Amino acid sequence: MADRIPTVLTGVKPSGTPHIGNYLGAIRPALGLADRYERSLLFIADYHALTTVQDAKEMTESIYDVAATWLACGVDPKRTLLYRQSSIPEVFELAWVLACTTAKGLLDRAHAFKDAEARGKHVNAGLYWYPVLMAADILLFDTTVVPVGKDQKQHIEIAREAAERFNHVFGETLVVPEPAIDENVMTIPGLDGEKMSKSYGNVIPLFASSKELRSLVMKIKTGSEALEDPKDPDTSLVYALYKAVATPDEARAAAERYRAGGMGWGHAKHELFERLDAELAGPRERYAKLSADRGYLDEVLAEGAARARRIAVETLWRVRKATGIDRAPV
Ligand code: ADP
Ligand code: TRP
């Protein structure tokens, strides 16, 4: 059995331009976790994206976009191994091994392909296999903790079952990971009050220019109270976004200003814009530089992949030995 090095790992699918819902719901919380673990890995799940992104140019752009986005938001590539899933061939070998001990019935119950099926979409075999590949991503690095959004809960359950089943058949070999699902991370609303999502066309892009950011914030729906009227922060979309980005103290102070009256919606939106702009100005500037420097991004990703592979090769070797297919990895 492996030593349990406290290891945090998460994967990000390259698809679409990131929005502030992704930032506040996934990126910012994950950055906070990296420092608390001895080993931290963050990878771009490009082969997972292939189940839906089937345009070469779009795929390549999105891969660099994810790398530039996370680095711009503060991932330190010296501490966190940042790599592409596709650079780690051991992932795919482990996926096959896991498929052979995982019950088909477990995959039959997976939401992801069932939802796609229910929406009348074409379901490729990759989508059906998605949880096995994801289990391999996780188990290959003796991951102890996987921070994910609520929608990924079932996938982590499947990864745990895959590890337990393998261990049951071949003896204690794989570390069984724990999910870290922060139930308090709120769902960030979009401009129309629905969940902010690229599928709903209601997003504020994370790296919108100051000018675009201001004009999008001005479009957020508000009530029709007069300037002098007290306003209820808890039913306000403008406040919900402010609260998500600001510190608890800032949010409390703003709630008092809403309730006191005398502050119009124009002013409230202006405060939200200023707060968002202050938070995002640094990342926006870094993103512009990073995304124009693919040479640097390639270097970071190659370095991350080389370091990650050292761990991967060892785990796979342990797995192969356990199965009796123990040719030394080349
Ligand atoms: P989208 O809904 O725009 O397609 P994704 O499904 O690609 O976004 O989400 C990527 C990550 O961002 C996930 O971890 C998800 O939980 C988080 N996320 C996406 N939208 C929101 C939101 N509106 N509020 C909070 N977190 C979100
Ligand atoms: N399925 C995840 C998503 O859609 C991405 C992902 C792939 C992942 N492999 C992973 C997340 C391993 C955590 C760990 O968001």
Coordinates of all heavy atoms in Angstrom, one line a residue, residues 117-203:
E117 N -28.5 11.6 -22.4 CA -29.4 10.7 -23.0 C -30.8 11.3 -22.9 O -31.6 11.4 -23.9 CB -29.4 9.3 -22.4 CG -29.5 8.2 -23.4 CD -29.1 6.9 -22.8 OE1 -29.5 6.6 -21.6 OE2 -28.3 6.2 -23.4
A118 N -31.2 11.7 -21.7 CA -32.5 12.3 -21.4 C -32.7 13.6 -22.3 O -33.9 13.9 -22.6 CB -32.7 12.6 -19.9
R119 N -31.7 14.3 -22.5 CA -31.8 15.5 -23.3 C -31.8 15.2 -24.8 O -31.7 16.1 -25.7 CB -30.8 16.5 -22.9 CG -31.2 17.3 -21.7 CD -30.2 18.4 -21.3 NE -29.1 17.8 -20.6 CZ -27.8 18.0 -20.9 NH1 -27.4 18.8 -21.8 NH2 -26.8 17.4 -20.2
G120 N -31.8 13.9 -25.1 CA -31.8 13.5 -26.5 C -30.5 13.7 -27.3 O -30.5 13.7 -28.5
K121 N -29.4 13.8 -26.5 CA -28.1 14.0 -27.2 C -27.6 12.7 -27.6 O -27.9 11.6 -27.0 CB -27.2 14.7 -26.2 CG -27.5 16.1 -25.9 CD -26.3 16.8 -25.5 CE -26.6 18.3 -25.2 NZ -25.6 18.9 -24.3
H122 N -26.7 12.7 -28.6 CA -26.0 11.5 -29.0 C -25.0 11.2 -27.8 O -24.2 12.0 -27.4 CB -25.2 11.8 -30.3 CG -24.2 10.7 -30.6 ND1 -24.6 9.5 -31.0 CD2 -22.8 10.7 -30.5 CE1 -23.5 8.7 -31.1 NE2 -22.4 9.5 -30.9
V123 N -25.1 10.0 -27.3 CA -24.2 9.6 -26.2 C -23.1 8.7 -26.8 O -23.3 7.5 -27.2 CB -24.9 8.8 -25.1 CG1 -24.0 8.3 -24.1 CG2 -25.9 9.8 -24.5
N124 N -21.8 9.2 -26.8 CA -20.7 8.3 -27.3 C -20.2 7.4 -26.2 O -20.5 7.7 -25.0 CB -19.6 9.2 -27.9 CG -19.1 10.3 -27.0 OD1 -18.8 10.0 -25.8 ND2 -18.9 11.5 -27.4
A125 N -19.5 6.4 -26.5 CA -19.0 5.5 -25.5 C -18.1 6.1 -24.5 O -18.0 5.7 -23.4 CB -18.3 4.3 -26.2
G126 N -17.4 7.2 -25.0 CA -16.5 7.9 -24.1 C -17.2 8.6 -22.9 O -16.8 8.6 -21.8
L127 N -18.4 9.0 -23.2 CA -19.2 9.7 -22.1 C -19.6 8.6 -21.1 O -19.7 8.9 -19.9 CB -20.5 10.3 -22.8 CG -21.2 11.4 -21.9 CD1 -20.2 12.5 -21.5 CD2 -22.3 12.0 -22.7
Y128 N -19.9 7.4 -21.6 CA -20.3 6.3 -20.7 C -19.1 5.9 -19.8 O -19.2 5.7 -18.6 CB -20.8 5.2 -21.6 CG -21.2 4.0 -20.8 CD1 -22.4 4.0 -20.1 CD2 -20.4 2.8 -20.7 CE1 -22.8 2.9 -19.4 CE2 -20.8 1.7 -20.0 CZ -22.0 1.7 -19.3 OH -22.4 0.7 -18.6
W129 N -17.9 6.0 -20.4 CA -16.7 5.6 -19.7 C -16.1 6.7 -18.9 O -15.1 6.5 -18.1 CB -15.7 5.2 -20.8 CG -15.2 3.8 -20.7 CD1 -16.0 2.7 -20.9 CD2 -13.9 3.4 -20.5 NE1 -15.2 1.6 -20.7 CE2 -13.9 2.0 -20.5 CE3 -12.6 4.0 -20.3 CZ2 -12.8 1.2 -20.3 CZ3 -11.5 3.2 -20.1 CH2 -11.6 1.9 -20.1
Y130 N -16.6 7.9 -19.0 CA -16.1 9.1 -18.4 C -15.7 8.9 -16.9 O -14.6 9.2 -16.5 CB -17.2 10.1 -18.5 CG -16.8 11.6 -18.1 CD1 -16.7 12.5 -19.1 CD2 -16.7 12.0 -16.8 CE1 -16.4 13.8 -18.8 CE2 -16.4 13.3 -16.5 CZ -16.2 14.2 -17.5 OH -15.9 15.5 -17.1
P131 N -16.6 8.2 -16.1 CA -16.2 8.0 -14.7 C -15.0 7.1 -14.5 O -14.3 7.3 -13.5 CB -17.5 7.4 -14.0 CG -18.6 7.6 -15.0 CD -17.9 7.7 -16.4
V132 N -14.7 6.2 -15.4 CA -13.6 5.3 -15.2 C -12.3 6.1 -15.4 O -11.3 6.0 -14.7 CB -13.6 4.1 -16.2 CG1 -12.4 3.2 -16.0 CG2 -14.9 3.4 -16.1
L133 N -12.3 6.9 -16.5 CA -11.1 7.8 -16.7 C -10.9 8.8 -15.6 O -9.8 9.0 -15.1 CB -11.4 8.6 -18.0 CG -10.2 9.4 -18.6 CD1 -9.0 8.5 -18.8 CD2 -10.6 10.1 -19.9
M134 N -12.0 9.3 -15.0 CA -11.9 10.2 -13.9 C -11.3 9.5 -12.7 O -10.5 10.0 -11.9 CB -13.2 10.8 -13.6 CG -13.2 11.8 -12.5 SD -14.5 13.0 -12.7 CE -14.6 13.7 -11.1
A135 N -11.8 8.2 -12.4 CA -11.2 7.5 -11.3 C -9.7 7.3 -11.5 O -8.9 7.4 -10.5 CB -11.9 6.1 -11.2
A136 N -9.3 7.0 -12.7 CA -7.8 6.8 -13.0 C -7.1 8.1 -12.7 O -6.0 8.1 -12.1 CB -7.6 6.4 -14.4
D137 N -7.6 9.3 -13.2 CA -7.0 10.6 -12.9 C -6.7 10.7 -11.4 O -5.6 11.3 -11.0 CB -8.0 11.7 -13.2 CG -8.3 11.9 -14.6 OD1 -7.5 11.6 -15.5 OD2 -9.5 12.4 -14.9
I138 N -7.6 10.3 -10.6 CA -7.5 10.5 -9.2 C -6.6 9.5 -8.5 O -5.7 9.8 -7.7 CB -9.0 10.5 -8.6 CG1 -9.8 11.6 -9.1 CG2 -8.9 10.5 -7.0 CD1 -11.3 11.5 -8.8
L139 N -6.9 8.2 -8.8 CA -6.2 7.1 -8.1 C -4.8 7.0 -8.4 O -3.9 6.5 -7.6 CB -7.0 5.8 -8.3 CG -8.4 5.8 -8.0 CD1 -9.1 4.4 -8.3 CD2 -8.7 6.1 -6.5
L140 N -4.4 7.4 -9.6 CA -3.0 7.4 -10.1 C -2.0 8.2 -9.2 O -0.9 7.9 -9.2 CB -2.9 7.9 -11.5 CG -1.7 7.7 -12.3 CD1 -1.3 6.2 -12.4 CD2 -1.7 8.3 -13.7
F141 N -2.6 9.1 -8.5 CA -1.7 10.0 -7.7 C -1.9 9.8 -6.2 O -1.5 10.7 -5.4 CB -1.9 11.5 -8.1 CG -1.5 11.7 -9.6 CD1 -2.5 11.7 -10.6 CD2 -0.2 11.8 -9.9 CE1 -2.1 11.8 -11.9 CE2 0.2 12.0 -11.3 CZ -0.8 12.0 -12.2
D142 N -2.4 8.7 -5.8 CA -2.7 8.4 -4.4 C -3.4 9.6 -3.8 O -3.0 10.0 -2.6 CB -1.4 8.1 -3.7 CG -0.8 6.8 -4.1 OD1 -1.5 5.9 -4.6 OD2 0.5 6.6 -4.1
T143 N -4.3 10.2 -4.5 CA -5.0 11.4 -4.0 C -5.8 11.1 -2.8 O -6.5 10.1 -2.7 CB -6.0 11.8 -5.1 OG1 -5.2 12.1 -6.3 CG2 -6.7 13.1 -4.7
T144 N -5.7 12.0 -1.8 CA -6.5 11.8 -0.6 C -7.7 12.7 -0.6 O -8.7 12.3 -0.1 CB -5.6 12.1 0.7 OG1 -5.0 13.4 0.6 CG2 -4.6 11.0 0.9
V145 N -7.6 13.8 -1.3 CA -8.8 14.8 -1.3 C -9.0 15.3 -2.7 O -8.1 15.8 -3.3 CB -8.5 15.9 -0.3 CG1 -9.6 17.0 -0.4 CG2 -8.5 15.4 1.1
V146 N -10.3 15.3 -3.1 CA -10.6 15.9 -4.4 C -11.7 17.0 -4.2 O -12.9 16.7 -4.0 CB -11.2 14.8 -5.3 CG1 -11.4 15.3 -6.8 CG2 -10.4 13.5 -5.3
P147 N -11.3 18.2 -4.4 CA -12.3 19.3 -4.3 C -13.0 19.4 -5.6 O -12.4 19.5 -6.7 CB -11.4 20.6 -4.1 CG -10.0 20.2 -4.5 CD -9.9 18.7 -4.5
V148 N -14.3 19.3 -5.5 CA -15.2 19.4 -6.7 C -16.5 20.1 -6.4 O -16.8 20.2 -5.2 CB -15.5 18.0 -7.3 CG1 -14.4 17.4 -8.1 CG2 -16.0 17.1 -6.2
G149 N -17.2 20.5 -7.4 CA -18.6 21.0 -7.2 C -19.5 19.9 -7.0 O -19.2 18.7 -7.2
K150 N -20.7 20.3 -6.5 CA -21.7 19.2 -6.1 C -22.0 18.3 -7.3 O -22.3 17.1 -7.0 CB -23.0 19.9 -5.7 CG -23.0 20.6 -4.3 CD -24.2 21.4 -4.1 CE -23.9 22.7 -3.4 NZ -24.8 23.8 -3.5
D151 N -22.0 18.8 -8.5 CA -22.3 18.0 -9.7 C -21.4 16.8 -9.9 O -21.7 15.9 -10.6 CB -22.4 18.9 -10.9 CG -21.1 19.6 -11.2 OD1 -20.4 20.0 -10.2 OD2 -20.7 19.7 -12.3
Q152 N -20.2 16.9 -9.2 CA -19.2 15.8 -9.4 C -19.2 14.7 -8.3 O -18.4 13.8 -8.3 CB -17.8 16.4 -9.5 CG -17.7 17.3 -10.7 CD -17.8 16.6 -12.0 OE1 -17.3 15.5 -12.3 NE2 -18.7 17.1 -12.9
K153 N -20.2 14.9 -7.4 CA -20.2 14.0 -6.2 C -20.2 12.5 -6.6 O -19.5 11.7 -6.1 CB -21.4 14.4 -5.4 CG -21.4 13.9 -4.0 CD -22.6 14.5 -3.3 CE -22.6 14.0 -1.9 NZ -23.6 14.9 -1.1
Q154 N -21.1 12.2 -7.6 CA -21.2 10.8 -8.0 C -20.0 10.2 -8.6 O -19.6 9.1 -8.4 CB -22.4 10.6 -9.0 CG -22.7 9.2 -9.2 CD -23.7 9.0 -10.4 OE1 -23.6 9.7 -11.4 NE2 -24.6 8.0 -10.2
H155 N -19.3 11.1 -9.3 CA -18.0 10.6 -9.9 C -17.0 10.3 -8.9 O -16.2 9.3 -9.1 CB -17.4 11.7 -10.9 CG -18.2 11.8 -12.2 ND1 -18.3 13.0 -12.8 CD2 -18.9 10.9 -12.9 CE1 -19.1 12.8 -13.9 NE2 -19.4 11.6 -13.9
I156 N -17.0 11.0 -7.8 CA -16.0 10.7 -6.7 C -16.4 9.4 -6.0 O -15.6 8.6 -5.7 CB -15.9 11.9 -5.7 CG1 -15.6 13.2 -6.4 CG2 -14.8 11.6 -4.7 CD1 -14.4 13.3 -7.2
E157 N -17.7 9.2 -5.9 CA -18.2 8.0 -5.3 C -17.7 6.8 -6.2 O -17.3 5.7 -5.6 CB -19.7 8.0 -5.3 CG -20.3 8.8 -4.1 CD -19.8 8.3 -2.8 OE1 -19.7 7.1 -2.5 OE2 -19.4 9.2 -2.0
I158 N -17.9 6.9 -7.5 CA -17.4 5.9 -8.4 C -15.9 5.6 -8.2 O -15.5 4.5 -8.2 CB -17.9 6.2 -9.8 CG1 -19.4 6.2 -9.9 CG2 -17.3 5.1 -10.8 CD1 -20.0 6.6 -11.3
A159 N -15.2 6.7 -8.1 CA -13.7 6.5 -8.0 C -13.4 5.8 -6.7 O -12.5 4.9 -6.7 CB -13.0 7.9 -8.0
R160 N -14.1 6.1 -5.6 CA -13.9 5.4 -4.4 C -14.2 3.9 -4.5 O -13.5 3.0 -4.1 CB -14.8 6.0 -3.3 CG -14.3 7.4 -2.8 CD -15.4 8.0 -1.8 NE -15.7 7.1 -0.7 CZ -15.0 7.1 0.4 NH1 -13.9 7.9 0.6 NH2 -15.3 6.3 1.4
E161 N -15.4 3.6 -5.1 CA -15.8 2.2 -5.3 C -14.8 1.5 -6.2 O -14.5 0.3 -5.9 CB -17.2 2.1 -5.9 CG -18.2 2.4 -4.9 CD -19.6 1.9 -5.3 OE1 -19.7 0.7 -5.7 OE2 -20.5 2.6 -5.2
A162 N -14.3 2.2 -7.2 CA -13.3 1.5 -8.1 C -12.0 1.1 -7.3 O -11.5 0.0 -7.5 CB -12.9 2.4 -9.3
A163 N -11.6 2.0 -6.4 CA -10.4 1.8 -5.6 C -10.7 0.6 -4.7 O -9.8 -0.3 -4.5 CB -10.0 3.0 -4.8
E164 N -11.8 0.7 -4.0 CA -12.1 -0.4 -3.0 C -12.2 -1.7 -3.7 O -11.8 -2.7 -3.2 CB -13.4 0.0 -2.3 CG -13.2 1.0 -1.2 CD -14.5 1.7 -0.7 OE1 -15.6 1.4 -1.2 OE2 -14.3 2.5 0.2
R165 N -12.8 -1.7 -4.9 CA -13.0 -3.0 -5.6 C -11.7 -3.6 -6.0 O -11.4 -4.8 -5.9 CB -13.9 -2.7 -6.8 CG -14.3 -3.9 -7.6 CD -15.3 -4.8 -6.9 NE -15.3 -6.1 -7.6 CZ -15.5 -7.3 -7.0 NH1 -15.8 -7.3 -5.8 NH2 -15.4 -8.4 -7.7
F166 N -10.8 -2.7 -6.5 CA -9.5 -3.1 -7.0 C -8.7 -3.7 -5.8 O -8.2 -4.8 -5.8 CB -8.7 -2.0 -7.6 CG -7.3 -2.5 -8.1 CD1 -7.2 -2.9 -9.4 CD2 -6.2 -2.5 -7.3 CE1 -6.0 -3.3 -9.9 CE2 -5.0 -3.0 -7.7 CZ -4.9 -3.4 -9.1
N167 N -8.8 -3.0 -4.6 CA -8.1 -3.5 -3.4 C -8.7 -4.8 -2.9 O -7.9 -5.6 -2.5 CB -8.2 -2.4 -2.3 CG -7.4 -1.2 -2.6 OD1 -6.5 -1.2 -3.5 ND2 -7.7 -0.1 -1.9
H168 N -10.0 -5.0 -3.1 CA -10.6 -6.2 -2.7 C -10.1 -7.4 -3.5 O -9.8 -8.4 -3.0 CB -12.1 -6.0 -2.8 CG -12.9 -7.3 -2.4 ND1 -13.0 -7.7 -1.1 CD2 -13.5 -8.2 -3.2 CE1 -13.7 -8.8 -1.1 NE2 -14.0 -9.1 -2.3
V169 N -10.0 -7.1 -4.8 CA -9.6 -8.2 -5.7 C -8.1 -8.5 -5.6 O -7.7 -9.7 -5.6 CB -10.0 -7.9 -7.2 CG1 -9.5 -8.9 -8.2 CG2 -11.5 -7.7 -7.3
F170 N -7.3 -7.4 -5.6 CA -5.8 -7.6 -5.7 C -5.0 -7.3 -4.5 O -3.8 -7.3 -4.5 CB -5.3 -6.8 -6.9 CG -5.8 -7.3 -8.2 CD1 -6.7 -6.5 -9.0 CD2 -5.3 -8.5 -8.7 CE1 -7.1 -7.0 -10.2 CE2 -5.8 -9.0 -10.0 CZ -6.7 -8.2 -10.7
G171 N -5.7 -6.9 -3.4 CA -5.0 -6.6 -2.2 C -4.8 -5.0 -2.1 O -4.8 -4.4 -3.1
E172 N -4.6 -4.5 -0.9 CA -4.5 -3.1 -0.7 C -3.4 -2.5 -1.6 O -2.2 -2.7 -1.4 CB -4.1 -2.8 0.8 CG -5.2 -3.0 1.8 CD -6.4 -2.1 1.5 OE1 -6.2 -0.9 1.4 OE2 -7.5 -2.6 1.5
T173 N -3.8 -1.7 -2.5 CA -2.9 -1.1 -3.5 C -3.2 0.4 -3.7 O -2.3 1.2 -3.8 CB -3.1 -1.8 -4.9 OG1 -3.0 -3.2 -4.7 CG2 -2.0 -1.4 -5.8
L174 N -4.5 0.7 -3.8 CA -4.8 2.1 -4.1 C -5.4 2.9 -2.9 O -6.1 2.3 -2.1 CB -5.9 2.1 -5.2 CG -5.4 1.5 -6.6 CD1 -6.6 1.2 -7.5 CD2 -4.4 2.4 -7.2
V175 N -5.1 4.2 -2.9 CA -5.6 5.0 -1.8 C -7.1 5.4 -2.2 O -7.3 5.8 -3.3 CB -4.7 6.3 -1.7 CG1 -5.4 7.3 -0.7 CG2 -3.3 5.9 -1.2
V176 N -8.0 5.2 -1.2 CA -9.4 5.6 -1.4 C -9.5 7.1 -1.1 O -9.3 7.5 0.0 CB -10.3 4.8 -0.5 CG1 -11.8 5.1 -0.8 CG2 -10.1 3.3 -0.8
P177 N -9.9 7.9 -2.1 CA -9.9 9.4 -1.9 C -11.2 9.8 -1.2 O -12.2 9.1 -1.3 CB -9.9 9.9 -3.4 CG -10.6 8.8 -4.1 CD -10.3 7.5 -3.5
E178 N -11.1 11.0 -0.7 CA -12.3 11.7 -0.1 C -12.7 12.8 -1.0 O -11.8 13.6 -1.4 CB -12.0 12.3 1.3 CG -11.6 11.3 2.3 CD -12.7 10.4 2.8 OE1 -13.9 10.8 2.7 OE2 -12.4 9.2 3.2
P179 N -14.0 13.1 -1.1 CA -14.4 14.3 -1.9 C -14.3 15.5 -0.9 O -14.5 15.3 0.3 CB -15.8 14.0 -2.2 CG -16.4 13.1 -1.2 CD -15.2 12.3 -0.7
A180 N -14.1 16.7 -1.4 CA -14.2 17.9 -0.6 C -15.2 18.8 -1.3 O -14.9 19.4 -2.3 CB -12.9 18.6 -0.5
I181 N -16.5 18.7 -0.9 CA -17.5 19.4 -1.5 C -18.0 20.5 -0.6 O -18.5 20.2 0.5 CB -18.7 18.5 -1.9 CG1 -18.1 17.5 -3.0 CG2 -19.8 19.3 -2.5 CD1 -19.1 16.3 -3.3
D182 N -17.7 21.7 -0.9 CA -18.0 22.8 0.0 C -19.5 23.2 -0.2 O -19.8 23.9 -1.2 CB -17.1 24.0 -0.3 CG -17.3 25.1 0.8 OD1 -18.3 25.0 1.5 OD2 -16.4 26.0 0.9
E183 N -20.4 22.7 0.7 CA -21.8 23.0 0.5 C -22.1 24.5 0.6 O -23.2 24.9 0.2 CB -22.6 22.1 1.5 CG -22.4 20.6 1.5 CD -23.1 19.9 0.2 OE1 -23.9 20.6 -0.4 OE2 -22.7 18.8 0.0
N184 N -21.2 25.2 1.2 CA -21.4 26.6 1.4 C -21.1 27.5 0.2 O -21.5 28.6 0.1 CB -20.6 27.2 2.6 CG -21.0 26.5 3.9 OD1 -22.2 26.3 4.1 ND2 -20.0 26.3 4.7
V185 N -20.4 26.9 -0.8 CA -20.1 27.7 -2.0 C -21.4 27.9 -2.7 O -22.1 27.0 -3.0 CB -19.1 27.0 -2.9 CG1 -19.0 27.7 -4.3 CG2 -17.7 27.0 -2.3
M186 N -21.8 29.2 -2.8 CA -23.1 29.4 -3.3 C -23.1 29.3 -4.8 O -22.0 29.4 -5.5 CB -23.6 30.8 -2.9 CG -22.6 31.9 -3.3 SD -23.2 33.5 -2.9 CE -24.6 33.7 -4.0
T187 N -24.3 29.1 -5.4 CA -24.4 29.1 -6.8 C -24.5 30.6 -7.2 O -25.4 31.3 -6.8 CB -25.7 28.4 -7.2 OG1 -25.6 27.1 -6.7 CG2 -25.9 28.4 -8.7
I188 N -23.5 31.0 -8.0 CA -23.5 32.4 -8.4 C -24.6 32.7 -9.5 O -24.6 31.9 -10.5 CB -22.1 32.7 -9.0 CG1 -21.0 32.3 -8.1 CG2 -22.0 34.2 -9.4 CD1 -21.0 33.0 -6.7
P189 N -25.4 33.7 -9.2 CA -26.4 33.9 -10.2 C -25.9 34.7 -11.4 O -24.9 35.5 -11.3 CB -27.5 34.8 -9.5 CG -26.7 35.4 -8.4 CD -25.5 34.5 -8.1
G190 N -26.5 34.6 -12.6 CA -26.1 35.3 -13.7 C -26.9 36.6 -13.8 O -27.6 37.0 -12.9
L191 N -26.7 37.3 -15.0 CA -27.3 38.6 -15.1 C -28.8 38.6 -15.0 O -29.5 39.6 -14.6 CB -27.0 39.2 -16.5 CG -25.5 39.4 -16.8 CD1 -25.3 39.7 -18.3 CD2 -24.9 40.5 -15.9
D192 N -29.4 37.4 -15.3 CA -30.9 37.3 -15.3 C -31.4 36.7 -14.0 O -32.6 36.4 -13.8 CB -31.4 36.5 -16.5 CG -30.7 35.1 -16.5 OD1 -29.8 34.8 -15.6 OD2 -31.0 34.3 -17.4
G193 N -30.5 36.3 -13.1 CA -30.9 35.7 -11.8 C -30.9 34.2 -11.8 O -30.9 33.5 -10.8
E194 N -30.8 33.5 -13.0 CA -30.6 32.1 -13.1 C -29.2 31.8 -12.8 O -28.3 32.7 -12.8 CB -30.9 31.6 -14.5 CG -32.3 31.8 -15.0 CD -33.3 31.0 -14.2 OE1 -33.0 29.8 -13.8 OE2 -34.3 31.6 -13.8
K195 N -28.8 30.5 -12.6 CA -27.4 30.1 -12.3 C -26.6 30.7 -13.4 O -26.9 30.5 -14.6 CB -27.3 28.6 -12.3 CG -25.9 28.1 -12.2 CD -25.9 26.6 -12.3 CE -24.4 26.1 -12.2 NZ -23.8 25.4 -13.1
M196 N -25.5 31.3 -13.1 CA -24.6 31.8 -14.2 C -24.0 30.6 -14.8 O -23.3 29.7 -14.2 CB -23.5 32.7 -13.6 CG -22.7 33.3 -14.7 SD -21.3 34.5 -14.1 CE -22.2 35.8 -13.4
S197 N -24.2 30.5 -16.1 CA -23.7 29.3 -16.9 C -23.5 29.7 -18.3 O -24.4 30.4 -18.9 CB -24.7 28.1 -16.7 OG -24.3 27.1 -17.6
K198 N -22.4 29.1 -18.9 CA -22.3 29.5 -20.3 C -23.4 28.9 -21.2 O -23.8 29.5 -22.2 CB -20.9 29.0 -20.9 CG -20.6 27.5 -20.7 CD -19.3 27.2 -21.3 CE -18.9 25.8 -21.0 NZ -18.5 25.5 -19.6
S199 N -24.1 27.9 -20.7 CA -25.2 27.3 -21.5 C -26.4 28.3 -21.4 O -27.3 28.1 -22.3 CB -25.6 26.0 -21.0 OG -24.8 25.4 -20.1
Y200 N -26.5 29.2 -20.5 CA -27.6 30.1 -20.4 C -27.4 31.5 -21.0 O -28.3 32.3 -21.0 CB -28.1 30.2 -18.9 CG -28.4 28.9 -18.2 CD1 -28.4 28.8 -16.9 CD2 -28.8 27.8 -19.0 CE1 -28.7 27.6 -16.2 CE2 -29.1 26.6 -18.3 CZ -29.0 26.5 -17.0 OH -29.3 25.4 -16.3
G201 N -26.1 31.7 -21.4 CA -25.8 33.0 -22.0 C -26.1 34.2 -21.1 O -26.5 35.3 -21.5
N202 N -25.8 34.0 -19.8 CA -26.1 35.1 -18.8 C -24.8 35.4 -18.0 O -24.9 35.8 -16.9 CB -27.2 34.6 -17.9 CG -26.8 33.4 -17.1 OD1 -25.8 32.8 -17.3 ND2 -27.7 32.9 -16.2
V203 N -23.7 35.1 -18.6 CA -22.4 35.2 -17.8 C -21.8 36.6 -17.9 O -22.0 37.4 -18.8 CB -21.4 34.2 -18.3 CG1 -22.0 32.8 -18.3 CG2 -20.8 34.5 -19.7

